[in-house]
Amino acid sequence: MKSNFLKYTLLLSILISISSGCSKFEAINTNPNATTEVNSAMLATSMILSITRSDISTTKAFMQPFLLGKYLTWGEGQEGFQYNRLNRTDFDRITVLRNITPMETYATSDALRKSYQALGHFVRAWQFFISTMQVGDIPYTEAVKGESAGILQPKYDTQKTVFLGILDELDQANALFAQGATFEGDPIFAGSTEKWRRLTNSFELHVLMNLYKKTTDADLKVIDRFKDIVANRLLMRDYNDNFALAYNATAGQNYPWSDVPAGSGNSFVKSNYTMLSNVLLDPLKVTNDRRLFYYAKPSAIKITAGFPQSDKAAYPGVEPSDAFSALQTIRVGKDYADINNRYTNLVNAEPVGVFNYWDLQFILAEATLRGWISGTAAQTYYANGIKSSMTFIAANTPDLADYHHNMKMDAAYIDAFPATVALAGTTDQQIGQVITQKYVASFLQGNKYQSWFENRRTGYPVFKLNTSTNLNTPSTSLPLRWMYPSNELSYNSVNLAAAIASQFGGNDDNNQIMWLLK
């Protein structure tokens, strides 16, 4: 997959500088070598990077969501995410939406305006979706209307209203992209309205799947909407349609976990603070999945003891719920599997997708198992998801033993593997297989907190609850949500209090069950 997002970094920096400056200082702070005019393309870049690069981040911040998803542990200290502590979130991702209106306004033709309007609807849907998934009810109908309507304290909408709005925004985005023109400022798809339609519709299926407990709601029409999209709209075709950022060798433009160039100051953190978990590694070992050898590097102790690097027994995982002191003992003893060297050594290890083709295929597999759609076997979608993940990894990994440990995934292996993990058992067991494979494919991939959301929604993969280390209160349960932002307590307290009262009886804590989960 190709991406030019990094060439837009300078433009984005200029945009931020312009939008954050005070007008009375313009005369003395204008850079004569840079444009001072904001246009639709620059604002589009800002919007797209706000839902990709901003969430992907780099170094430790890149790894944080994967601690919550139990892919790995962190050795710097007792991390809240690893031990299920969810504090207050923020609504920063919503505030960036104020640039959508000027992005549309500055368009130079009707066709371009439709494209930028479509992009605006998609970005709004994305940001509101993540926000409501975190807390429940949020401001939606009155959000980001401080300038246009003077609403500085927006009311909160019910989560159902928010989801109806998200679905409507995605429908509008698809329709407008269909009427639009190739647009500038897009670091992912180079302004291809066709690819944006495919992403928009595929993401809408993701939103609908998260509403699986609401299939009887007459307003949402979850199953009817899902069937219509699958039957009548463009969807992602392969991993080249991934909504992903690619990286290169330019300083500051490396893969988020890369330690190149040497001496970047992060080598100690990267080589000493991560251990891969049994939640990730055990499913790979049980099924003889060679992604194990591309994701991990073997235990130094096992190699010294004579285990070949191609032996899955050389890759011990750790239990992320174990006490920090116990994990530190393992770390000092060096008998654990760490992250594969390719992620550290390569500046372009792999594009990082926040929504990928294999996500779509696993969604379609689950929908088939639930009886929402028919015509294609769930096994076919399931196999497509697995094969796409494997092919993507193999295509982005140089043919070096240090990166695949002499357990290469060639085309024959990839084609044959899905049959060895074929769907079987009850419907719930098969859904468990699908979600487990989605989890495996989402290692260092996926939109923010995706795997944690999936576990919350389905119970898969199973996260061990250790009451002696769990930082949630009470320690006998896993958290279900973040608490509302502190800024809302300060500046929108009346509306926030009403939302907390109507949803949770006045208690804003991590264990409240939001509408989506009921």
Side-chain angles (χ1 to χ4, degrees):
M1 209 212 92
K2 295 182 179 179
S3 170
N4 296 317
F5 92 99
L6 292 159
K7 77 178 183 179
Y8 293 92
T9 300
L10 177 58
L11 287 177
L12 181 58
S13 298
I14 294 168
L15 173 62
I16 293 171
S17 297
I18 294 169
S19 63
S20 62
C22 296
S23 60
K24 67 180 180 180
F25 294 117
E26 286 178 357
I28 60 174
N29 286 332
T30 300
N31 180 354
N33 298 315
T35 179
T36 58
E37 293 185 7
V38 178
N39 56 37
S40 294
M42 294 174 68
L43 291 165
T45 302
S46 173
M47 289 292 96
I48 294 168
L49 294 184
S50 75
I51 60 175
T52 53
R53 188 178 67 177
S54 293
D55 276 348
I56 294 169
S57 193
T58 60
T59 58
K60 182 178 178 179
F62 173 56
M63 290 298 175
Q64 285 288 315
F66 302 103
L67 294 175
L68 185 61
K70 315 308 177 194
Y71 286 97
L72 65 151
T73 69
W74 190 264
E76 187 178 15
Q78 190 181 45
E79 288 292 321
F81 273 2
Q82 182 180 326
Y83 293 102
N84 310 308
R85 178 191 286 131
L86 299 180
N87 294 315
R88 295 192 180 277
T89 187
D90 60 60
F91 286 163
D92 291 352
R93 65 177 59 251
I94 295 177
T95 62
V96 303
L97 302 178
R98 59 193 173 193
N99 283 329
I100 289 176
T101 297
M103 176 180 69
E104 300 167 356
T105 302
Y106 296 152
T108 56
S109 71
D110 183 61
L112 285 174
R113 185 170 294 105
K114 285 184 169 61
S115 292
Y116 288 122
Q117 287 174 335
L119 177 62
H121 283 300
F122 178 85
V123 174
R124 280 175 55 88
W126 184 282
Q127 299 291 50
F128 284 120
F129 174 75
I130 300 295
S131 294
T132 192
M133 290 286 285
Q134 287 188 284
V135 296
D137 293 1
I138 59 172
Y140 174 68
T141 56
E142 292 186 356
V144 204
K145 291 187 176 179
E147 292 184 9
S148 62
I151 300 175
L152 301 179
Q153 296 173 317
K155 71 175 184 180
Y156 280 62
D157 292 283
T158 66
Q159 193 169 43
K160 175 180 173 177
T161 298
V162 176
F163 268 94
L164 283 168
I166 290 168
L167 295 170
D168 182 59
E169 303 244 25
L170 292 169
D171 288 342
Q172 290 183 69
N174 172 63
L176 287 164
F177 276 132
Q179 302 170 49
T182 301
F183 61 96
E184 295 183 345
D186 173 14
I188 308 293
F189 299 134
S192 169
T193 54
E194 178 188 328
K195 285 201 169 188
W196 275 102
R197 288 182 71 194
R198 294 183 184 280
L199 169 63
T200 296
N201 299 326
S202 300
F203 180 67
E204 187 165 357
L205 295 181
H206 173 66
V207 173
L208 288 165
M209 183 53 69
N210 277 276
L211 291 164
Y212 82 104
K213 290 187 176 182
K214 306 299 180 182
T215 54
T216 60
D217 190 293
D219 299 318
L220 289 164
K221 300 181 177 63
V222 172
I223 296 176
D224 288 344
R225 286 176 185 264
F226 198 100
K227 285 181 177 178
D228 179 67
I229 292 170
V230 173
N232 299 311
R233 296 194 195 174
L234 298 175
L235 297 174
M236 298 165 79
R237 298 159 295 186
D238 55 39
Y239 69 76
N240 291 300
D241 287 339
N242 285 0
F243 190 38
L245 298 181
Y247 300 86
N248 61 47
T250 304
Q253 302 178 0
N254 304 159
Y255 179 77
W257 198 240
S258 172
D259 199 32
V260 177
S264 64
N266 294 314
S267 58
F268 175 77
V269 172
K270 293 172 183 175
S271 63
N272 289 276
Y273 285 170
T274 53
M275 297 191 295
L276 295 183
S277 77
N278 54 13
V279 185
L280 170 67
L281 299 185
D282 284 357
L284 297 169
K285 294 177 189 177
V286 169
T287 60
N288 294 312
D289 188 329
R290 292 189 183 181
R291 282 175 290 187
L292 168 70
F293 305 99
Y294 288 75
Y295 287 167
K297 65 180 177 183
S299 156
I301 297 299
K302 293 292 190 288
I303 296 299
T304 300
F307 286 78
Q309 60 183 351
S310 57
D311 187 342
K312 62 185 180 182
Y315 298 80
V318 299
E319 169 51 51
S321 70
D322 282 353
F324 181 71
S325 58
L327 293 174
Q328 286 298 81
T329 298
I330 296 173
R331 183 180 308 284
V332 172
K334 300 187 183 302
D335 194 14
Y336 63 88
D338 203 349
I339 295 174
N340 191 293
N341 284 336
R342 71 188 179 95
Y343 296 107
T344 301
N345 295 348
L346 301 176
V347 296
N348 58 341
E350 63 188 26
V352 178
V354 292
F355 190 84
N356 294 313
Y357 169 74
W358 50 82
D359 295 319
L360 168 65
Q361 293 302 301
F362 292 127
I363 289 165
L364 293 171
E366 182 179 347
T368 304
L369 291 171
R370 293 190 183 280
W372 293 9
I373 55 174
S374 60
T376 301
Q379 176 67 27
T380 300
Y381 292 126
Y382 172 73
N384 287 344
I386 295 170
K387 290 191 291 186
S388 177
S389 167
M390 289 182 164
T391 303
F392 169 84
I393 293 164
N396 284 284
T397 303
D399 187 6
L400 298 173
D402 192 36
Y403 299 154
H404 54 58
H405 303 105
N406 299 315
M407 293 295 283
K408 292 173 61 177
M409 295 188 294
D410 58 19
Y413 171 83
I414 293 171
D415 284 342
F417 180 79
T420 69
V421 292
L423 296 172
T426 66
T427 297
D428 185 69
Q429 288 171 330
Q430 292 181 63
I431 288 174
Q433 287 181 266
V434 170
I435 301 302
T436 298
Q437 284 298 326
K438 185 189 290 189
Y439 179 84
V440 167
S442 297
F443 177 60
L444 305 186
Q445 294 282 335
N447 67 55
K448 205 162 191 176
Y449 313 126
Q450 173 177 297
S451 294
W452 187 83
F453 288 145
E454 289 288 277
N455 169 268
R456 182 181 70 175
R457 180 175 72 87
T458 68
Y460 297 110
V462 176
F463 294 164
K464 181 178 178 180
L465 176 59
N466 184 338
T467 57
S468 65
T469 63
N470 184 18
L471 295 180
N472 186 46
T473 302
S475 64
T476 53
S477 65
L478 295 173
L480 293 175
R481 59 182 291 275
W482 280 255
M483 292 183 289
Y484 281 107
S486 57
N487 279 353
E488 289 293 286
L489 290 170
S490 300
Y491 302 112
N492 197 17
S493 59
V494 173
N495 289 317
L496 174 59
I500 295 171
S502 65
Q503 294 175 94
F504 310 130
N507 298 313
D508 181 21
D509 66 57
N510 302 119
N511 306 292
Q512 298 297 328
I513 303 174
M514 62 180 68
W515 169 86
L516 181 71
L517 304 177
K518 294 179 180 179

